[in-house]
Amino acid sequence: MSYPIRLPIGSPAPLGSVHHPTPTTWELEMHYGVDNRINHDLIDKVFLKALDLVEKDWRWSTTEVGAPGALIIVGKKSQQKFFSNGLDYERISEDPGFFANYFDVLIRRLIDFPMPIIAAINGHCFAAGFVLALACDYRVMTSGRAWCCLNELEVGAPLRPSVASLLNCKLPTPKIVRDATLDARRFTPQELHALGVVDVLAEGGTDGVLREAHKLAEAKAPRAKTGVYGLMRTDMMKAVFNATKLDERRILAVDAAALAQARL
């Protein structure tokens, strides 16, 4: 397989690319617009395709059930400002099936991916971007000016069952879950590192973040050798994995208000 692979394949304006800088590490770079907002195209044509390509390359590299390997996910490397600025609301609002058919599918695929995944958070990481980073196993974040937050409260968007379950799984205490969701708190890199949500703080912008992410990836890559990494992660995150399969109708704020007014 020849790298880098630009995705969508054959597109004159790729939204992401896959690199294979060392024999045991792969790198998925998002470069969709200025801030990597998540929509159908980024999930279906970049993330899901990239995860399949990397897993195929990894599996065909050995005759065993597993091999050393790790994946790094990073925001556009030529800038220092964004990992991901969350959902592309204008696009996804046109599709009521977006979460069930795209976003939850991506979370489920990350959970059962067979090797360690490191989020290289090289800038602001908001809403669905923060969820994406939390779905990874490890997080390396710039020590500079960057925020992580869940601003669904401020935009009036209730949480998906999968997202709520992931937050309870990955954030350290109920208080931090409350602060992140019901206060829409903006966390600094230093706060997240102190809480254990971010594993490594890196100086030097995107270059520093990638340098530390690659150190971590090389250290964790041998963990995939026995072939059970994704199986164990799925068992450990069974509640999240199952929540991605819930196809329930979500009540919106306007519906809740109308029901309350009728009842009162």
Side-chain angles (χ1 to χ4, degrees):
M1 199 175 294
S2 180
Y3 294 91
I5 301 171
R6 307 195 184 283
L7 299 170
I9 293 174
S11 171
L15 310 179
S17 56
V18 182
H19 306 260
H20 191 18
T22 77
T24 59
T25 60
W26 286 261
E27 201 179 271
L28 170 54
E29 178 188 3
M30 300 177 281
H31 38 85
Y32 182 28
V34 297
D35 56 359
N36 297 316
R37 287 189 177 266
I38 298 170
N39 60 22
H40 306 72
D41 290 339
L42 192 63
I43 292 175
D44 193 44
K45 298 178 181 179
V46 176
F47 267 100
L48 296 179
K49 184 67 174 177
L51 292 170
D52 284 350
L53 288 169
V54 171
E55 181 173 351
K56 180 180 179 180
D57 198 12
W58 175 77
R59 290 198 181 280
W60 282 92
S61 69
T62 179
T63 58
E64 306 295 330
V65 295
L71 173 66
I72 296 167
I73 299 175
V74 63
K76 191 174 182 178
K77 292 189 285 186
S78 62
Q79 52 85 51
Q80 317 289 328
K81 190 173 182 180
F82 291 105
F83 176 75
S84 171
N85 205 12
L87 293 174
D88 180 354
Y89 280 106
E90 185 174 345
R91 284 281 307 279
I92 71 166
S93 62
E94 301 171 356
D95 178 10
F98 169 78
F99 288 100
N101 298 324
Y102 290 88
F103 193 74
D104 283 350
V105 172
L106 173 59
I107 299 302
R108 190 160 63 244
R109 183 69 174 100
L110 291 169
I111 291 173
D112 71 12
F113 194 67
M115 64 182 76
I117 308 173
I118 295 93
I121 306 172
N122 57 330
H124 297 306
C125 187
F126 291 147
F130 192 21
V131 174
L132 171 62
L134 289 174
C136 298
D137 300 300
Y138 302 94
R139 282 153 291 282
V140 176
M141 189 172 183
T142 176
S143 62
R145 183 175 173 79
W147 302 92
C148 287
C149 78
L150 297 162
N151 60 350
E152 281 77 3
L153 179 77
E154 295 174 338
V155 300
L159 295 178
R160 291 285 299 175
S162 56
V163 173
S165 183
L166 180 67
L167 297 178
N168 282 302
C169 177
K170 290 299 185 83
L171 295 179
T173 68
K175 178 184 182 301
I176 299 303
V177 175
R178 181 203 66 194
D179 291 352
T181 56
L182 300 181
D183 284 336
R185 175 178 165 185
R186 293 190 174 196
F187 294 89
T188 67
Q190 291 73 22
E191 288 171 333
L192 291 174
H193 186 250
L195 290 168
V197 177
V198 165
D199 299 279
V200 180
L201 287 180
E203 298 182 357
T206 295
D207 290 342
V209 170
L210 275 176
R211 184 165 53 249
E212 294 298 328
H214 277 282
K215 287 181 185 177
L216 188 57
E218 292 286 358
K220 300 300 180 182
R223 303 302 183 195
K225 187 175 182 179
T226 58
V228 299
Y229 196 95
L231 299 175
M232 291 182 68
R233 190 199 291 112
T234 301
D235 287 338
M236 295 296 293
M237 299 178 64
K238 183 65 73 176
V240 185
F241 190 85
N242 290 339
T244 65
K245 299 179 181 180
L246 295 177
D247 186 20
E248 61 178 32
R249 189 181 302 272
R250 299 295 289 162
I251 189 168
L252 300 177
V254 63
D255 301 318
L259 288 170
Q261 287 171 346
R263 185 182 74 252
L264 299 172

PDB file of all heavy atoms in Angstrom, residues 92-105:
ATOM      1  N   ILE A  92     -25.659  18.517   8.892  1.00  0.00           N
ATOM      2  CA  ILE A  92     -26.285  17.362   9.532  1.00  0.00           C
ATOM      3  C   ILE A  92     -27.739  17.620   9.902  1.00  0.00           C
ATOM      4  O   ILE A  92     -28.520  16.682  10.039  1.00  0.00           O
ATOM      5  CB  ILE A  92     -25.493  16.911  10.771  1.00  0.00           C
ATOM      6  CG1 ILE A  92     -25.643  17.925  11.903  1.00  0.00           C
ATOM      7  CG2 ILE A  92     -24.042  16.663  10.431  1.00  0.00           C
ATOM      8  CD1 ILE A  92     -25.180  17.412  13.236  1.00  0.00           C
ATOM      9  N   SER A  93     -28.123  18.891  10.054  1.00  0.00           N
ATOM     10  CA  SER A  93     -29.511  19.196  10.419  1.00  0.00           C
ATOM     11  C   SER A  93     -30.484  18.798   9.318  1.00  0.00           C
ATOM     12  O   SER A  93     -31.682  18.660   9.563  1.00  0.00           O
ATOM     13  CB  SER A  93     -29.659  20.685  10.728  1.00  0.00           C
ATOM     14  OG  SER A  93     -29.353  21.471   9.589  1.00  0.00           O
ATOM     15  N   GLU A  94     -29.985  18.598   8.114  1.00  0.00           N
ATOM     16  CA  GLU A  94     -30.831  18.180   6.999  1.00  0.00           C
ATOM     17  C   GLU A  94     -31.096  16.678   7.014  1.00  0.00           C
ATOM     18  O   GLU A  94     -31.894  16.185   6.221  1.00  0.00           O
ATOM     19  CB  GLU A  94     -30.163  18.569   5.673  1.00  0.00           C
ATOM     20  CG  GLU A  94     -29.911  20.065   5.529  1.00  0.00           C
ATOM     21  CD  GLU A  94     -29.054  20.391   4.324  1.00  0.00           C
ATOM     22  OE1 GLU A  94     -28.598  19.445   3.649  1.00  0.00           O
ATOM     23  OE2 GLU A  94     -28.858  21.592   4.048  1.00  0.00           O
ATOM     24  N   ASP A  95     -30.438  15.940   7.910  1.00  0.00           N
ATOM     25  CA  ASP A  95     -30.550  14.486   7.929  1.00  0.00           C
ATOM     26  C   ASP A  95     -30.865  14.001   9.336  1.00  0.00           C
ATOM     27  O   ASP A  95     -29.977  13.913  10.186  1.00  0.00           O
ATOM     28  CB  ASP A  95     -29.239  13.857   7.447  1.00  0.00           C
ATOM     29  CG  ASP A  95     -29.281  12.337   7.483  1.00  0.00           C
ATOM     30  OD1 ASP A  95     -30.377  11.771   7.694  1.00  0.00           O
ATOM     31  OD2 ASP A  95     -28.216  11.714   7.304  1.00  0.00           O
ATOM     32  N   PRO A  96     -32.112  13.644   9.629  1.00  0.00           N
ATOM     33  CA  PRO A  96     -32.468  13.182  10.977  1.00  0.00           C
ATOM     34  C   PRO A  96     -31.806  11.858  11.348  1.00  0.00           C
ATOM     35  O   PRO A  96     -31.784  11.493  12.520  1.00  0.00           O
ATOM     36  CB  PRO A  96     -33.994  13.040  10.918  1.00  0.00           C
ATOM     37  CG  PRO A  96     -34.316  12.911   9.463  1.00  0.00           C
ATOM     38  CD  PRO A  96     -33.294  13.716   8.734  1.00  0.00           C
ATOM     39  N   GLY A  97     -31.280  11.148  10.373  1.00  0.00           N
ATOM     40  CA  GLY A  97     -30.624   9.872  10.648  1.00  0.00           C
ATOM     41  C   GLY A  97     -29.127   9.966  10.800  1.00  0.00           C
ATOM     42  O   GLY A  97     -28.445   8.939  10.895  1.00  0.00           O
ATOM     43  N   PHE A  98     -28.590  11.192  10.865  1.00  0.00           N
ATOM     44  CA  PHE A  98     -27.134  11.352  10.886  1.00  0.00           C
ATOM     45  C   PHE A  98     -26.488  10.628  12.062  1.00  0.00           C
ATOM     46  O   PHE A  98     -25.502   9.911  11.902  1.00  0.00           O
ATOM     47  CB  PHE A  98     -26.766  12.834  10.930  1.00  0.00           C
ATOM     48  CG  PHE A  98     -25.309  13.084  11.213  1.00  0.00           C
ATOM     49  CD1 PHE A  98     -24.361  12.930  10.215  1.00  0.00           C
ATOM     50  CD2 PHE A  98     -24.892  13.445  12.488  1.00  0.00           C
ATOM     51  CE1 PHE A  98     -23.010  13.134  10.484  1.00  0.00           C
ATOM     52  CE2 PHE A  98     -23.550  13.658  12.766  1.00  0.00           C
ATOM     53  CZ  PHE A  98     -22.604  13.502  11.763  1.00  0.00           C
ATOM     54  N   PHE A  99     -27.027  10.819  13.260  1.00  0.00           N
ATOM     55  CA  PHE A  99     -26.373  10.244  14.433  1.00  0.00           C
ATOM     56  C   PHE A  99     -26.423   8.721  14.422  1.00  0.00           C
ATOM     57  O   PHE A  99     -25.422   8.046  14.683  1.00  0.00           O
ATOM     58  CB  PHE A  99     -26.981  10.809  15.710  1.00  0.00           C
ATOM     59  CG  PHE A  99     -26.605  12.238  15.954  1.00  0.00           C
ATOM     60  CD1 PHE A  99     -27.486  13.265  15.641  1.00  0.00           C
ATOM     61  CD2 PHE A  99     -25.358  12.558  16.463  1.00  0.00           C
ATOM     62  CE1 PHE A  99     -27.126  14.584  15.851  1.00  0.00           C
ATOM     63  CE2 PHE A  99     -24.991  13.872  16.676  1.00  0.00           C
ATOM     64  CZ  PHE A  99     -25.884  14.891  16.356  1.00  0.00           C
ATOM     65  N   ALA A 100     -27.589   8.164  14.123  1.00  0.00           N
ATOM     66  CA  ALA A 100     -27.713   6.707  14.127  1.00  0.00           C
ATOM     67  C   ALA A 100     -26.911   6.067  13.004  1.00  0.00           C
ATOM     68  O   ALA A 100     -26.308   5.004  13.188  1.00  0.00           O
ATOM     69  CB  ALA A 100     -29.185   6.310  14.018  1.00  0.00           C
ATOM     70  N   ASN A 101     -26.882   6.715  11.838  1.00  0.00           N
ATOM     71  CA  ASN A 101     -26.291   6.092  10.658  1.00  0.00           C
ATOM     72  C   ASN A 101     -24.848   6.485  10.389  1.00  0.00           C
ATOM     73  O   ASN A 101     -24.176   5.848   9.571  1.00  0.00           O
ATOM     74  CB  ASN A 101     -27.133   6.422   9.417  1.00  0.00           C
ATOM     75  CG  ASN A 101     -28.537   5.878   9.517  1.00  0.00           C
ATOM     76  OD1 ASN A 101     -28.760   4.800  10.061  1.00  0.00           O
ATOM     77  ND2 ASN A 101     -29.509   6.628   9.016  1.00  0.00           N
ATOM     78  N   TYR A 102     -24.367   7.522  11.058  1.00  0.00           N
ATOM     79  CA  TYR A 102     -22.995   7.974  10.808  1.00  0.00           C
ATOM     80  C   TYR A 102     -22.201   8.125  12.107  1.00  0.00           C
ATOM     81  O   TYR A 102     -21.197   7.445  12.312  1.00  0.00           O
ATOM     82  CB  TYR A 102     -22.991   9.298  10.027  1.00  0.00           C
ATOM     83  CG  TYR A 102     -23.448   9.154   8.608  1.00  0.00           C
ATOM     84  CD1 TYR A 102     -24.800   9.244   8.275  1.00  0.00           C
ATOM     85  CD2 TYR A 102     -22.534   8.932   7.577  1.00  0.00           C
ATOM     86  CE1 TYR A 102     -25.227   9.103   6.965  1.00  0.00           C
ATOM     87  CE2 TYR A 102     -22.947   8.789   6.270  1.00  0.00           C
ATOM     88  CZ  TYR A 102     -24.296   8.876   5.972  1.00  0.00           C
ATOM     89  OH  TYR A 102     -24.707   8.730   4.676  1.00  0.00           O
ATOM     90  N   PHE A 103     -22.635   9.026  12.984  1.00  0.00           N
ATOM     91  CA  PHE A 103     -21.824   9.353  14.151  1.00  0.00           C
ATOM     92  C   PHE A 103     -21.672   8.155  15.092  1.00  0.00           C
ATOM     93  O   PHE A 103     -20.565   7.832  15.537  1.00  0.00           O
ATOM     94  CB  PHE A 103     -22.426  10.543  14.902  1.00  0.00           C
ATOM     95  CG  PHE A 103     -21.499  11.136  15.923  1.00  0.00           C
ATOM     96  CD1 PHE A 103     -20.415  11.904  15.527  1.00  0.00           C
ATOM     97  CD2 PHE A 103     -21.688  10.917  17.279  1.00  0.00           C
ATOM     98  CE1 PHE A 103     -19.537  12.448  16.460  1.00  0.00           C
ATOM     99  CE2 PHE A 103     -20.824  11.458  18.217  1.00  0.00           C
ATOM    100  CZ  PHE A 103     -19.740  12.225  17.803  1.00  0.00           C
ATOM    101  N   ASP A 104     -22.780   7.485  15.399  1.00  0.00           N
ATOM    102  CA  ASP A 104     -22.690   6.322  16.278  1.00  0.00           C
ATOM    103  C   ASP A 104     -21.902   5.188  15.630  1.00  0.00           C
ATOM    104  O   ASP A 104     -21.219   4.423  16.313  1.00  0.00           O
ATOM    105  CB  ASP A 104     -24.086   5.835  16.663  1.00  0.00           C
ATOM    106  CG  ASP A 104     -24.739   6.713  17.732  1.00  0.00           C
ATOM    107  OD1 ASP A 104     -24.033   7.577  18.293  1.00  0.00           O
ATOM    108  OD2 ASP A 104     -25.944   6.533  17.992  1.00  0.00           O
ATOM    109  N   VAL A 105     -21.999   5.080  14.324  1.00  0.00           N
ATOM    110  CA  VAL A 105     -21.219   4.065  13.602  1.00  0.00           C
ATOM    111  C   VAL A 105     -19.725   4.329  13.770  1.00  0.00           C
ATOM    112  O   VAL A 105     -18.925   3.409  13.978  1.00  0.00           O
ATOM    113  CB  VAL A 105     -21.600   4.048  12.110  1.00  0.00           C
ATOM    114  CG1 VAL A 105     -20.665   3.140  11.317  1.00  0.00           C
ATOM    115  CG2 VAL A 105     -23.050   3.589  11.940  1.00  0.00           C
TER     116      VAL A 105
END
